[in-house]
Amino acid sequence: MNSLPRSFYARSTITVAKGLLGKRVVRKIGSQRISGIIIETEAYLHKDDPASHAFRRKTERNKAMFEEVGRAYVYFTYGMYFCFNVVARNSKVEAGAVLIRNIHPEKGIDIMKKNRGKNNERNLTDGPGKLTQALDITKKQYGVDLTRNSELFITDGLLKRGKIIAAPRIGIKTALDNLWNFKILL
DNA sequence: CTTGGGATGGTCT
DNA sequence: GACCATCCCAAGG
């Protein structure tokens, strides 16, 4: 299965956030392969989104949000966890990214359990900090090109259609009337 | 099932 | 010096 092309990510951030639902995240580490189906995402925009890291200005941390679409934006948060985003925006705006919040584990479940230090399959990847732990995504993956079949990429999934639920984004205190958290019913 | 507090450190003001 | 796009565990219903 081939990676999604750059053009997939060169659309409005909200469109891409919805479009990523049902797609497959693949992590290759040596001969090991871990994968899961994306079931929850969030869109983060630019100047019109006070909850976004890119709201104020381009900085060392958020610069990926302003650079090439289809690459990974990884950041460290709460002193302990990494969050994995996909850079996505149309040509009219300067910054944007989609946070991957929840994936349904597919391949490499034993490796995920080992990476997480947990055996409970239910809590393996159902949160942005949990799935980066399970897939061993850290700042080393900052800026990785997700359109190439290398260490980390995204392909078409098996899910073609499903009902999408929009809700306020999690863990933020502003812009709560923007329903930019998206989930797909399996 | 839900709630609340602590862990922990980079980033921005 | 304050703020986090979080998670875990323990305690209560």
Side-chain angles (χ1 to χ4, degrees):
Chain A
M1 192 96 61
N2 288 325
S3 297
L4 296 174
R6 187 91 50 208
S7 56
F8 180 89
Y9 303 102
R11 301 176 293 158
S12 91
T13 310
I14 290 170
T15 301
V16 176
K18 293 181 195 167
L20 281 171
L21 297 170
K23 300 294 190 281
R24 173 182 290 112
V25 181
V26 182
R27 175 81 168 106
K28 285 198 295 193
I29 306 170
S31 59
Q32 299 179 325
R33 180 174 290 236
I34 313 173
S35 69
I37 299 295
I38 299 172
I39 54 176
E40 183 179 1
T41 61
E42 280 175 1
Y44 286 89
L45 281 43
H46 185 208
K47 293 184 197 300
D48 46 352
D49 182 6
S52 173
H53 288 169
F55 179 58
R56 294 180 190 282
R57 66 170 88 53
K58 184 173 173 179
T59 66
E60 192 59 26
R61 175 176 69 160
N62 69 20
K63 63 182 179 186
M65 291 181 73
F66 295 79
E67 293 171 356
E68 190 177 35
V69 300
R71 288 181 179 267
Y73 167 42
V74 181
Y75 65 89
F76 185 65
T77 192
Y78 290 105
M80 263 189 258
Y81 301 101
F82 294 97
C83 289
F84 170 45
N85 298 252
V86 180
V87 180
R89 64 176 182 279
N90 64 33
S91 57
K92 294 176 204 152
V93 296
E94 292 173 53
V98 176
L99 172 68
I100 310 299
R101 279 198 72 86
N102 192 350
I103 67 175
H104 184 71
E106 204 178 32
K107 286 189 172 161
I109 291 176
D110 289 341
I111 305 167
M112 295 195 225
K113 287 179 178 171
K114 199 174 163 193
N115 288 344
R116 291 261 300 130
K118 303 267 183 271
N119 268 323
N120 189 347
E121 210 158 309
R122 235 178 76 91
N123 298 339
L124 220 43
T125 53
D126 61 339
K130 298 186 200 177
L131 71 91
T132 53
Q133 219 171 35
L135 302 199
D136 189 30
I137 295 172
T138 68
K139 253 196 164 157
K140 287 178 192 159
Q141 279 70 46
Y142 191 98
V144 163
D145 191 347
L146 303 167
T147 70
R148 298 187 174 275
N149 287 35
S150 58
E151 57 175 321
L152 178 63
F153 55 97
I154 300 176
T155 71
D156 226 338
L158 294 173
L159 290 173
K160 293 301 174 197
R161 276 228 155 340
K163 184 169 173 59
I164 294 177
I165 315 282
R169 291 168 295 178
I170 310 294
I172 57 168
K173 294 184 170 122
T174 56
L176 293 173
D177 45 343
N178 292 324
L179 307 182
W180 293 341
N181 169 290
F182 303 105
K183 291 194 271 288
I184 190 165
L185 297 185
L186 289 181

